[in-house]
Amino acid sequence: MRLEAIPQIKHTESNNFFLLAGPCAIEGEEMAMQIAEKVVSITDKLQIPYVFKGSFKKANRSRIDSFTGIGDEKALKILRKVSETFKVPTITDIHEISDAVMAAEYVDVLQIPAFLVRQTDLVVAAAETGKVVNLKKGQFMSPESMKHAVTKVTETGNEQAIITDRGTMFGYQDMIVDFRGIPTMKQYAPVVLDVTHSLQQPNQSSGVTGGRPALIGTMARAGIAAGVDGLFMETHFDPANAKSDGANMLDLSLLEKLLTDLTAIRKTINSL
């Protein structure tokens, strides 16, 4: 499947990677608009096709008292406003079959969380909306097994599937990315590397997931060198006070320098 088959992700003449980025969760309208405005200004300058990311709710949480959202419809309306204001597509994750049709009214790309990517009914429900479906590779799955997840999408007649690698469990509290899987999965669909979730340190005794954000640049550069079609990263202007996944987010103030470096690497690779 060629990337050009996904109209929501417009290629540029520079043949740059595309970017899925934004906060982990929609915490409110002001924060979403602030992050979107900054990322759009950077990606426009660097000619990076951009999709704004934000979860309208968080269902996969370690603790029952963790932040889950501000209300489904309220958050989805904010995602729609971001899209209409900045003229960019949007992506959000879904967790239940009923989420698919509801979220599809507001966003361009439906994301299947890694923990749920083998849930056939959920994947098919997302595909049947006709939206782009981003399949997060399960932490427990091989690259080869993602062929079957893609097939669940394409057999509905929807050819707009993306695979996102977010690392594989390494012991109980760490993740590792096997870059050998990138060319394997590119046989099935365009491939994205989820840079920030690949640096998570889950299953902490506190019930709050940790992370290694200092390695975001290293991971992203490796992904571009390995030939990924796109990058996924969560970013926030105040990660320490983000309501979800702050420990592995990229500080928004660091984004422009990182994307500038990555664009230069991509141009070099394209010239080889």
Side-chain angles (χ1 to χ4, degrees):
M1 183 187 305
R2 294 181 58 82
L3 188 58
E4 289 76 8
I6 302 177
Q8 287 82 352
I9 301 172
K10 298 177 181 178
H11 246 35
T12 63
E13 291 182 2
S14 62
N15 193 28
N16 213 345
F17 59 90
F18 64 91
L19 178 69
L20 313 177
C24 178
I26 300 297
E27 302 170 10
E29 181 176 316
E30 183 178 357
M31 65 83 69
M33 298 296 283
Q34 180 178 345
I35 293 171
E37 182 177 23
K38 180 64 173 178
V39 181
V40 167
S41 69
I42 295 169
T43 53
D44 281 353
K45 183 190 304 183
L46 297 174
Q47 292 190 294
I48 299 172
Y50 174 51
V51 181
F52 177 84
K53 183 270 169 186
S55 297
F56 77 94
K57 68 177 177 183
K58 300 299 296 181
N60 298 331
R61 311 297 286 150
S62 297
R63 290 174 21 176
I64 196 168
D65 60 347
S66 296
F67 174 79
T68 58
I70 60 174
D72 295 356
E73 187 175 11
K74 184 177 181 180
L76 287 167
K77 285 182 176 178
I78 291 171
L79 284 163
R80 175 186 282 169
K81 184 172 182 178
V82 167
S83 181
E84 292 174 348
T85 302
F86 298 105
K87 310 303 180 188
V88 294
T90 54
I91 177 172
T92 198
D93 37 353
I94 62 173
H95 302 85
E96 302 176 19
I97 294 170
S98 59
D99 289 345
V101 172
M102 175 178 65
E105 294 184 15
Y106 296 90
V107 302
D108 303 281
V109 186
L110 298 178
Q111 180 168 286
I112 307 299
F115 286 131
L116 301 177
V117 75
R118 288 192 61 179
Q119 297 297 105
T120 300
D121 290 347
L122 180 64
V123 173
V124 170
E128 287 179 341
T129 67
K131 298 291 184 175
V132 179
V133 181
N134 183 29
L135 300 160
K136 285 284 195 82
K137 185 182 82 65
Q139 298 94 320
F140 45 87
M141 294 175 66
S142 69
E144 290 80 6
S145 66
M146 287 303 295
K147 176 180 181 179
H148 306 297
V150 172
T151 299
K152 291 175 184 180
V153 175
T154 58
E155 286 196 348
T156 70
N158 185 343
E159 294 294 324
Q160 301 179 107
I162 303 170
I163 299 172
T164 295
D165 193 340
R166 50 88 24 93
T168 300
M169 286 301 298
F170 187 69
Y172 289 118
Q173 296 178 326
D174 211 352
M175 312 289 293
I176 191 167
V177 174
D178 182 355
F179 288 95
R180 297 174 300 176
I182 302 300
T184 297
M185 292 186 291
K186 285 185 69 169
Q187 298 176 67
Y188 318 136
V191 173
V192 173
L193 176 62
D194 182 342
V195 177
T196 49
H197 285 106
S198 295
L199 294 167
Q200 275 187 337
Q201 293 179 313
N203 302 322
Q204 300 295 315
S205 58
S206 64
V208 178
T209 297
R212 304 183 69 186
L215 294 175
I216 288 173
T218 299
M219 186 67 72
R221 288 190 290 269
I224 295 298
V228 296
D229 299 292
L231 293 176
F232 178 112
M233 61 181 74
E234 291 182 340
T235 185
H236 196 286
F237 47 80
D238 186 11
N241 290 303
K243 295 184 178 180
S244 178
D245 277 5
N248 55 267
M249 277 192 192
L250 178 70
D251 191 303
L252 190 58
S253 65
L254 304 176
L255 182 64
E256 183 167 4
K257 175 62 167 62
L258 175 59
L259 292 181
T260 300
D261 291 348
L262 296 174
T263 296
I265 294 171
R266 179 61 178 252
K267 287 180 178 178
T268 299
I269 291 173
N270 288 343
S271 69
L272 297 177

